Amino acid sequence: MKKQIDIALQGGGAHGAFTWGVLDRLLEEPDLEIAGISGTSAGAMNAVALAQGLCEGSAERARELLSDYWLAISDAARYSPIQRTVLDRLWGRWSLEYSPSFILSQHFSRSFSPYQYNPMDINPLKDIVEDIFDFDLINRSETPRLFLSATNVRTGRPKVFRQPDLSAEAVMASACLPFMFQAVEIDGEAYWDGGYMGNPPLFPLIDETNARDVVLIQINPFYREEVPKTAYEIENRLNEITFNGSLIKELRSIGFLYELIQHEGLEREAYRDARLHMISAEAEMRDLSVSSKLNAERQFLHHLHKLGRTTAETWIDQHWEDVGKRTTWSPRFVFEESLKPAHLPEEEERELDS
């Protein structure tokens, strides 16, 4: 019997290669059926590769497209002036924090905008996306449903692109970091990275597919023990908090929806809830600095891919039988302080925490 799921893919630059590894392992499961995919930024790239392969009717083709994309990224990165230092390589650090070209680029981006230093809006990533992906095929397909998020620059509201309006421009909008690239114009509107408002969006999966199991593949850690002290550490943590903020809000909304359905007697077909699952390697990802999100050298991408496969293997061993039956991840932390549901019985709370 097929296990039907939706998959939600976080963005995070080169750290998206972790998601590549997770998907590579999941796609080996013969009884897996993916009804919907949502993605943001690097998650949008993974989502498009996954969707196109499935549209072509083959999990193996999806694995091939994911590999093609990330290997193309690593090939392009060989020509980047931003590289690890010799000491970083000797000590096995993936960070770019000590790279002189990276430090210079950080100062440069605070003094000049991409409209000044890149007036022709040259973006090699768009060439890769256009070369590898077939958006006509994806837009003609009804399964799986694909949702890519971006942020409307003028309104500050989220924008979710879906079939039949997906394009290379929509993908680039989802991955448009404003200090690096000019806003992407689509139908007269300007868009920035979707991570600011939906990283990744969950409600399109709940509202527009028949699957009730949502598997979140997390890149950005929710929690860090250490309080940041240096300017760069503070910027790193702010980046993580910002890109997790929209996800936490959606999780909170899903929690309130669950309470309404369970305790107010609402019909599930009219008011849908979801069984949540999460695949993450939070401890390992915490050890990676934000600067390594710009490190696309092949060795690092393969390191993350291997970590993703290993993490997915562990999750499958522990939770695969639960899919279709019960939630395996209950983010109770989103209800801390005054935001905790007021009427959730203690026994129900204990059940969700277990």
Side-chain angles (χ1 to χ4, degrees), residues 325-340:
K325 299 176 183 178
R326 62 184 65 85
T327 287
T328 62
W329 178 61
S330 300
R332 300 300 303 172
F333 68 91
V334 303
F335 295 118
E336 291 177 355
E337 306 299 338
S338 60
L339 295 171
K340 182 176 178 179

Side-chain angles (χ1 to χ4, degrees), residues 205-223:
L205 298 173
I206 296 172
D207 292 340
E208 300 182 39
T209 80
N210 292 323
R212 297 274 56 83
D213 289 79
V214 177
V215 179
L216 169 67
I217 301 178
Q218 185 200 29
I219 291 177
N220 302 293
F222 287 119
Y223 179 80

Side-chain angles (χ1 to χ4, degrees), residues 101-237:
S101 54
F102 174 77
I103 295 171
L104 179 62
S105 71
Q106 293 297 293
H107 288 292
F108 193 81
S109 67
R110 286 165 176 75
S111 302
F112 302 95
S113 83
Y115 293 89
Q116 295 171 302
Y117 64 75
N118 186 12
M120 300 300 293
D121 198 22
I122 298 171
N123 189 344
L125 181 58
K126 185 178 180 181
D127 294 334
I128 294 173
V129 168
E130 290 177 335
D131 287 343
I132 294 178
F133 302 130
D134 183 348
F135 291 97
D136 288 336
L137 170 64
I138 295 171
N139 283 322
R140 289 196 305 269
S141 302
E142 296 183 357
T143 304
R145 298 287 295 150
L146 180 56
F147 309 96
L148 309 180
S149 71
T151 301
N152 187 304
V153 178
R154 294 186 176 91
T155 67
R157 296 174 59 188
K159 167 67 176 180
V160 177
F161 295 96
R162 47 173 60 79
Q163 293 118 323
D165 300 318
L166 297 172
S167 63
E169 288 73 21
V171 178
M172 299 313 300
S174 183
C176 180
L177 291 171
F179 291 107
M180 296 180 64
F181 306 112
Q182 295 183 25
V184 177
E185 297 276 346
I186 301 176
D187 296 331
E189 290 292 348
Y191 297 100
W192 282 339
D193 195 292
Y196 297 109
M197 295 302 296
N199 189 26
L202 300 181
F203 270 97
L205 298 173
I206 296 172
D207 292 340
E208 300 182 39
T209 80
N210 292 323
R212 297 274 56 83
D213 289 79
V214 177
V215 179
L216 169 67
I217 301 178
Q218 185 200 29
I219 291 177
N220 302 293
F222 287 119
Y223 179 80
R224 283 190 183 273
E225 182 67 34
E226 305 83 6
V227 175
K229 302 291 178 63
T230 70
Y232 191 73
E233 288 173 348
I234 292 169
E235 183 180 3
N236 284 358
R237 187 57 183 150

